[in-house]
Structure formats: structure tokens, C-alpha cells
């Protein structure tokens, strides 16, 4: 009799375990209706590893925004190439060719605080030239972890051309009561990106994450920049 009872208890326990395993839910691939991972046709892969809830996400990054970014770059084996997590964020403007194409796209549509893992194929990274200082080879695939620390969205201002041909466009205007205007003799801390007329990239202070410093009116820069 006791033998039959023990067998009955054992069978019931096993059956319960089997049911529990069969009912285990699958890991979600979305968060509040948003996809957490995708791969574009040209090979760019993005996986959101720290999503931000809709109630906390007041603004999403878009072209023209100046973003502050934490990043970690590794090779395909996971060996770290470079990182600024815990240091000063890297700052650049989206859609202005201040970073590689894949990074411009990877940082678009993010909430402040959001973190992503990104796989950037060579043709969207450093291409045929690679990047010697970081030992990045020609057409090398890049593996990044990125986080949007903060963003700034400019308010466009006026545009004009002086009589001597100097063209100026205010890409972010400051209210008069908050504006401190530069005058000759001031020391200027300037971020810039230089392109040729056909769009060819020449140089940028954003790529060095440090402003260019000069004294206004002291002929330390070209006349047009003064």
C-alpha cells in the first residue's frame, strides 16, 4: 500500500515539472511596441539593450541634433579597442558627416539614457582606408556599445550674405536677453566642421572632441573666420 502511494506522489511531482517547463514564456523582442533589434539591408545591425519607457522618453534624436555619446568599440572577439564610458562624452551633430555613416544612423531615433549594441560593416565604417591609430583594418566590421547621454536641438536663425561674399547662417539662435556677443580681443572656443563646396569632408574639431581656441581680431585665423 505505502509503495503504491509513494509511486503516486512521485508521478504527480514529475508531471508538475513537465507542465512548468512547457509553459515557460519566450523572451520578448519588443518593448512597449518598439522593436528591440533589427538588421538593415546594407548590413547595419542594431540591438537595444537598455530601452527607455515612453513616459520617460520626452525626445528622440534626429538629424541636426547635437548629441553626447558614450561608446565602447571592440573587435569580433570582444577585445576592447577604445571606450569613453565613465569619461567625458563624445559630442557630434547627427547627419553632418562628423562620424562614420553607420554611427550617424545608429544614434538616430534614440532616447536619452538608451543603450544599444551596434554592428557596423566596413563600408559604413572606415571603408578602404581603415584607421591606423586604432589599428582598424580596411573594410573591418566594427562592434560598438553606445549610449545617448544627452542631446541638444538647435533653433534655426537668419541667413545672410555680406557685400564681399561672406555667407553666414545662424543654425541656432540665442534670445537677445541671454546672448553674450563676441567682440575683438575675446578668446573664442570654437567647434567647427569644414567641407568643400561639393561636400567633401576636410576637417572637424568634433572628431577630436576638443574646441579650436583663438583670439578674435588678432589675425590668428583667416579673415572670413574672424
Amino acid at each position: 500500500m505505502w509503495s503504491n502511494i509513494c509511486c503516486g506522489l512521485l508521478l504527480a511531482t514529475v508531471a508538475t515539472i513537465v507542465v512548468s517547463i512547457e509553459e515557460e514564456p519566450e523572451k520578448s523582442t519588443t518593448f512597449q511596441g518598439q522593436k528591440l533589434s533589427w538588421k538593415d539591408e546594407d548590413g547595419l545591425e542594431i540591438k537595444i539593450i537598455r530601452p527607455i519607457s515612453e513616459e520617460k522618453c520626452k525626445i528622440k534624436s534626429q538629424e541636426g541634433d547635437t548629441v553626447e555619446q558614450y561608446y565602447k568599440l571592440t573587435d569580433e572577439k570582444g577585445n576592447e579597442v577604445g571606450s569613453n564610458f565613465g569619461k567625458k562624452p563624445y559630442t557630434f551633430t547627427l547627419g553632418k558627416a562628423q562620424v562614420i555613416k553607420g554611427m550617424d544612423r545608429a544614434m538616430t531615433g534614440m532616447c536619452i539614457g538608451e543603450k544599444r549594441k551596434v554592428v557596423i560593416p566596413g563600408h559604413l565604417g572606415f571603408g578602404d582606408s581603415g584607421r591606423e591609430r586604432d589599428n582598424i583594418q580596411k573594410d573591418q566590421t566594427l562592434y560598438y556599445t553606445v549610449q545617448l547621454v544627452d542631446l541638444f536641438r538647435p533653433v534655426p536663425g537668419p541667413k545672410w550674405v555680406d557685400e564681399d561674399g561672406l555667407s553666414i547662417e545662424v543654425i541656432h539662435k540665442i534670445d537677445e536677453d541671454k546672448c553674450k556677443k563676441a567682440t575683438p580681443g575675446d578668446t573664442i572656443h570654437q567647434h567647427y566642421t569644414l567641407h568643400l563646396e561639393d561636400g567633401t569632408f576636410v576637417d572637424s574639431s568634433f572628431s577630436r572632441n576638443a574646441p579650436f581656441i583663438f583670439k578674435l581680431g588678432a589675425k590668428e585665423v583667416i579673415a572670413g573666420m574672424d
Side-chain angles (χ1 to χ4, degrees), residues 184-186 212-226:
D186 288 345
F212 177 66
I213 301 173
F214 64 96
K215 192 172 184 179
L216 196 62
K219 298 184 179 179
E220 296 179 357
V221 292
I222 58 176
M225 186 59 72
D226 247 347

Side-chain angles (χ1 to χ4, degrees), residues 157-162 165-171 224:
K159 181 179 180 179
W160 68 93
V161 179
D162 290 344
L166 179 65
S167 177
I168 299 174
E169 179 181 1
V170 178
I171 58 175

Side-chain angles (χ1 to χ4, degrees), residues 71-75 78-83 134-136 140:
Y71 72 87
K72 181 174 74 172
L73 171 61
T74 64
D75 60 22
N79 299 313
E80 185 175 305
V81 177
S83 174
D134 291 323
N135 198 30
I136 296 174
Q140 182 175 328

Side-chain angles (χ1 to χ4, degrees), residues 144-203:
Y144 277 98
T145 299
V146 297
Q147 184 173 19
L148 179 61
V149 180
D150 203 355
L151 70 81
F152 168 74
R153 183 159 296 166
V155 179
K159 181 179 180 179
W160 68 93
V161 179
D162 290 344
E163 292 182 357
D164 57 4
L166 179 65
S167 177
I168 299 174
E169 179 181 1
V170 178
I171 58 175
H172 178 66
K173 63 181 180 180
I174 304 295
D175 293 338
E176 286 292 330
D177 60 339
K178 299 177 181 178
C179 180
K180 181 180 179 181
K181 295 186 177 181
T183 58
D186 288 345
T187 297
I188 305 298
H189 293 242
Q190 175 204 68
H191 268 305
Y192 70 88
T193 300
L194 174 61
H195 291 88
L196 300 180
E197 189 174 6
D198 63 3
T200 302
F201 173 80
V202 178
D203 186 34

Side-chain angles (χ1 to χ4, degrees), residues 89-155:
Y90 182 62
T91 304
F92 63 96
T93 302
L94 288 175
K96 301 298 182 182
Q98 295 174 2
V99 291
I100 56 177
K101 292 180 181 179
M103 186 59 72
D104 245 343
R105 286 166 50 186
M107 293 297 295
T108 299
M110 292 184 73
C111 301
I112 295 173
E114 185 177 320
K115 188 182 289 186
R116 296 178 173 185
K117 283 189 176 294
V118 184
V119 181
I120 301 176
H123 67 279
L124 296 176
F126 295 101
D128 293 338
S129 58
R131 190 174 189 176
E132 185 176 353
R133 75 184 189 202
D134 291 323
N135 198 30
I136 296 174
Q137 305 302 312
K138 171 184 176 182
D139 291 325
Q140 182 175 328
T141 299
L142 307 171
Y143 300 83
Y144 277 98
T145 299
V146 297
Q147 184 173 19
L148 179 61
V149 180
D150 203 355
L151 70 81
F152 168 74
R153 183 159 296 166
V155 179

